[in-house]
Amino acid sequence: MTERIPGFSTLAVHAGAQPDPTTGARATPIYQTTSYVFESVDHAASLFGLQTFGNIYTRIGNPTNAVLEERVAALEGGTAGLAVASGHAAQVLVFHCLMQPGDEFVASKKLYGGSINQFNHAFKNFGWNVVWADPDDISSFERAISPKTKAIFTESIANPGGVITDMDAVAQVAKRAGVPYIVDNTLASPYLCRPFEHGADIIVHSLTKFLGGHGNSIGGMIVDGGTFNWSRERRYPMLCEPRPEYHGIVLHETFGNFAFAIACRVLALRDIGSALSPFNAFLILTGIETLPLRMRKHCDNTLTVAQWISNHPKVAWVSYPGLPGDRFHNLAKKYCPNGAGAVFTFGLKGGYDAGVKLVSNVKLFSHLANIGDTRSLIIHPASTTHRQLSDAQKTAAGAGPDVVRLSIGIEDHEDIIADLEEGLAD
Amino acid sequence: MNHDSYSDSYIRGILNTVKTIAMVGASEKQNRPSYFAFKYLLERGYRMIPINPGHAGETMVGQPIYARLADIPEPVDMVDIFRGSQYALPIVQEALALKPPPSVIWMQLGVRNDEAAALAEANGMKVVMNRCPKIEYGRLSSEIAWMGVNTRTISARKATIGGVQRMSLNRVTAPGGATAASDRVQRGDGGH
């Protein structure tokens, strides 16, 4: 007998959620509580010893957050998820479970500027050393591998430059090196791209962007692909050695293919503390229900706007992989067949000053440092998000002085284009 | 039978049918996966029988430990093998010698022995390999979703908590309210 497997849109509405078992509430309740009563002393002991499934304290787990975790894990095709306070928190927890002081990881240099900062500065203080590689030259990942390498990290669609990473090729490098491949899938969302189908072992998200989608909540997510054999590699003591925190249990042996998500929860989140508010989880869950509808509109609008802007006389270039002729167009067709996302950059012939003028002139676009909102957003990275980077770093990250980044919303595209037209006028 | 993946209905059918489970290799050590699974399944209402020759005569979570399957004084529905894959074949042979033989052979997460599985299936047993019954129970009941695990199931039905929800009568009494006011009216000493 074959069982029917629900499709993506059905999972976006239903996965993780069911009517509340005590009240029958159909929408997922916001369990706004710090703690949960134990049924008995023995039940408490079982919970603290990880011997049974259940809730102890919202820093470690919350029933509203759990719905969000299963929802995103289902959409990505992973074994388990962990919701945390932000995308940056997700990255700290993931690397906490993989790295020890003096270890290295290889990361694509085409990343969100905030991640470049986090890896270059905050992580260095922990003794976690990033080695940068170039997604335009996959052999640079291979060359960056050393005996100290513990992971490889890339984005699927990179922010802000519209770079599509050749994930199948990077995954091969990771496999040969025996290290997990981590993909930040924030810009694509699982609707557009499914990194586990291309060799990723761990996915991280900023839920703040398209998954939440409405610009109202910061959140992050870790999804375990269940694909990495922690016991065989034996280089990850959080996963394959007895844990003194839990009376000597070995997480991979006990939890199998979702051990990494458990490690992130019971070792990293428990001790580091960057928990997500259940209220944020509720808002993000509501957003995810319409993810497929929104992403289709986002992508349709973005292609229309990118085509229009590429013909504008004041525009020097447009970097949007959805455009035929873009150097990442073929990779976009392979990895993001339903659309190349809603974030792209373009260059103004007038340089830095023209960028400042445009963000000052627009009226429908919001000038702010976020992406993935229902509203159209604009930013001039050189004067804002990437300001701390050197000029060379700015250009390397796709955020040179002439660059403007747009995140196209789900308004009527005629209004979006009219606002840009007016903003670019003399 | 394909043992690389099992349908939910196959696993659900087994977990809904078996009542008595003998766990070969059950450990009294509280940090061992077998202890986790044993205690969890016991709490879910299965009759659990630990098999461990080194500790026969002792008890585990209150259940007497036997040295071997043949020592169990009652029929078992399922044998759960918590030993290395190389031990699975002799354990299946022992299970086949039971009168009556169990209907299910379950090999734990990480345990797989195709020869043992073929022997069991040739004798009409259902076989599961490389899975944990605790994880599968938690997954199909969706209880494991509290840990963020993808159950790969969805439902728009309200989960039942053992029939009609029963609330305890043993609550602490709090002051005031309609009962006290109506008592005062009855006594004629003011109704407010």
Side-chain angles (χ1 to χ4, degrees):
Chain A
M1 187 179 94
T2 57
E3 283 160 347
R4 188 174 168 75
I5 306 296
F8 189 93
S9 296
T10 304
L11 293 176
V13 173
H14 286 278
Q18 67 177 336
D20 185 69
T22 51
T23 62
R26 179 57 270 212
T28 297
I30 303 168
Y31 288 94
Q32 192 68 37
T33 183
T34 57
S35 338
Y36 310 83
V37 293
F38 307 117
E39 287 161 25
S40 64
V41 171
D42 186 53
H43 178 232
S46 293
L47 285 171
F48 279 105
L50 304 180
Q51 290 162 358
T52 193
F53 313 117
N55 298 297
I56 300 174
Y57 196 61
T58 284
R59 173 157 45 76
I60 306 165
N62 173 283
T64 310
N65 296 15
V67 175
L68 176 62
E69 287 158 356
E70 189 180 359
R71 178 84 44 94
V72 178
L75 294 177
E76 288 288 11
T79 55
L82 177 66
V84 295
S86 69
H88 261 31
Q91 289 171 183
V92 171
L93 300 190
V94 163
F95 282 99
H96 175 73
C97 289
L98 300 175
M99 307 282 286
Q100 295 185 299
D103 283 345
E104 293 175 0
F105 66 102
V106 178
S108 164
K109 65 183 183 185
K110 301 283 190 196
L111 294 184
Y112 162 51
S115 291
I116 293 174
N117 278 334
Q118 186 187 45
F119 294 174
N120 270 336
H121 303 295
F123 279 19
K124 288 266 160 75
N125 277 354
F126 298 146
W128 306 340
N129 299 314
V130 61
V131 181
W132 297 107
D134 183 355
D136 282 330
D137 172 15
I138 298 298
S139 70
S140 68
F141 284 85
E142 194 97 57
R143 288 196 300 276
I145 299 285
S146 86
K148 293 178 179 171
T149 305
K150 286 293 186 68
I152 296 180
F153 183 100
T154 74
E155 295 176 356
S156 50
I157 302 178
N159 176 10
V163 173
I164 309 278
T165 308
D166 189 350
M167 289 181 284
D168 286 328
V170 176
Q172 286 306 314
V173 177
K175 224 160 232 83
R176 281 196 291 275
V179 300
Y181 177 27
I182 307 160
V183 173
D184 179 342
N185 199 30
T186 298
L187 255 73
S189 90
Y191 179 74
L192 296 180
C193 177
R194 310 242 303 174
F196 288 143
E197 294 168 7
H198 300 288
D201 299 295
I202 298 161
I203 292 174
V204 291
H205 276 286
S206 167
L207 300 170
T208 315
K209 312 303 186 313
F210 294 99
L211 281 163
H214 293 71
N216 57 25
S217 304
I218 302 281
M221 180 68 71
I222 299 160
V223 187
D224 187 347
T227 43
F228 195 78
N229 190 333
W230 307 102
S231 300
R232 187 181 61 211
E233 296 301 335
R234 301 220 67 82
R235 299 176 63 218
Y236 302 92
M238 296 275 211
L239 278 304
C240 69
E241 285 179 15
R243 295 312 305 175
E245 303 95 322
Y246 290 99
H247 314 297
I249 76 169
V250 179
L251 291 181
H252 189 221
E253 171 188 65
T254 306
F255 295 104
N257 67 4
F258 55 93
F260 185 75
I262 296 289
C264 287
R265 180 187 305 276
V266 306
L267 298 177
L269 181 60
R270 185 194 74 159
D271 291 354
I272 289 172
S274 41
L276 179 70
S277 156
F279 185 66
N280 280 21
F282 173 83
L283 292 172
I284 293 163
L285 271 171
T286 305
I288 291 175
E289 293 182 11
T290 57
L291 178 71
L293 298 173
R294 286 186 289 105
M295 291 315 289
R296 282 197 284 273
K297 181 72 171 165
H298 276 299
C299 289
D300 288 351
N301 275 357
T302 305
L303 186 58
T304 305
V305 172
Q307 275 163 343
W308 175 83
I309 215 164
S310 63
N311 293 320
H312 196 282
K314 290 185 179 172
V315 170
W317 52 266
V318 175
S319 171
Y320 182 57
L323 288 176
D326 185 274
R327 66 196 184 98
F328 290 103
H329 188 61
N330 285 336
L331 285 174
K333 280 199 291 192
K334 175 179 179 187
Y335 290 109
C336 313
N338 295 324
V343 178
F344 72 95
T345 53
F346 61 95
L348 287 166
K349 289 175 184 165
Y352 187 93
D353 293 340
V356 170
K357 181 164 171 268
L358 175 60
V359 298
S360 308
N361 281 353
V362 286
K363 297 188 183 71
L364 182 68
F365 276 85
S366 304
H367 177 210
L368 52 72
N370 191 29
I371 54 170
D373 193 321
T374 51
R375 291 155 277 259
S376 288
L377 314 175
I378 189 167
I379 201 160
H380 179 225
S383 61
T384 53
T385 49
H386 288 61
R387 195 184 189 94
Q388 291 99 327
L389 303 183
S390 69
D391 282 350
Q393 282 176 318
K394 279 180 191 143
T395 305
D402 61 328
V403 176
V404 173
R405 182 184 76 189
L406 301 181
S407 173
I408 301 298
I410 59 174
E411 303 100 333
D412 291 308
H413 66 81
E414 295 88 346
D415 295 325
I416 297 170
I417 288 172
D419 194 43
L420 289 171
E421 187 156 35
E422 206 172 310
L424 287 166
D426 292 318
Chain B
M1 167 119 199
N2 172 17
H3 288 288
D4 293 326
S5 72
Y6 301 103
S7 70
D8 285 352
S9 57
Y10 181 71
I11 300 289
R12 189 184 293 119
I14 290 171
L15 293 176
N16 273 336
T17 310
V18 301
K19 293 186 170 55
T20 302
I21 302 174
M23 183 183 283
V24 181
S27 171
E28 295 165 282
K29 290 201 188 93
Q30 297 200 5
N31 59 5
R32 301 302 302 151
S34 62
Y35 182 89
F36 283 35
F38 186 92
K39 189 173 175 207
Y40 180 90
L41 294 170
L42 184 69
E43 286 166 351
R44 297 296 170 292
Y46 293 102
R47 172 142 176 71
M48 297 298 296
I49 301 173
I51 304 293
N52 187 330
H55 295 273
E58 300 169 21
T59 62
M60 175 170 167
V61 205
Q63 310 305 307
I65 301 174
Y66 296 99
R68 55 191 65 78
L69 289 172
D71 296 344
I72 303 173
E74 62 187 292
V76 299
D77 303 313
M78 173 168 129
V79 173
D80 184 10
I81 301 177
F82 245 109
R83 300 290 313 279
S85 303
Q86 68 272 30
Y87 303 110
L89 183 60
I91 293 167
V92 168
Q93 286 163 343
E94 279 182 54
L96 283 168
L98 297 179
K99 302 268 182 300
S103 54
V104 179
I105 297 289
W106 189 303
M107 301 183 210
Q108 269 298 326
L109 206 55
V111 183
R112 176 160 181 158
N113 184 321
D114 288 357
E115 190 186 353
L119 176 64
E121 286 176 324
N123 285 277
M125 294 170 162
K126 287 184 175 172
V127 175
V128 176
M129 294 193 285
N130 192 25
R131 293 286 186 283
C132 172
K134 173 193 172 185
I135 290 172
E136 294 304 302
Y137 190 101
R139 188 175 72 77
L140 292 172
S141 69
S142 92
E143 194 181 51
I144 201 171
W146 283 330
M147 306 295 282
V149 174
N150 181 6
T151 65
R152 308 194 305 281
T153 61
I154 58 175
S155 172
R157 311 290 303 183
K158 180 169 169 285
T160 51
I161 314 172
V164 176
Q165 191 177 332
R166 279 189 303 133
M167 309 291 238
S168 169
L169 304 181
N170 302 328
R171 294 160 57 84
V172 175
T173 300
T179 304
S182 55
D183 284 353
R184 289 195 294 276
V185 170
Q186 287 284 316
R187 290 197 300 271
D189 59 355
H192 50 89

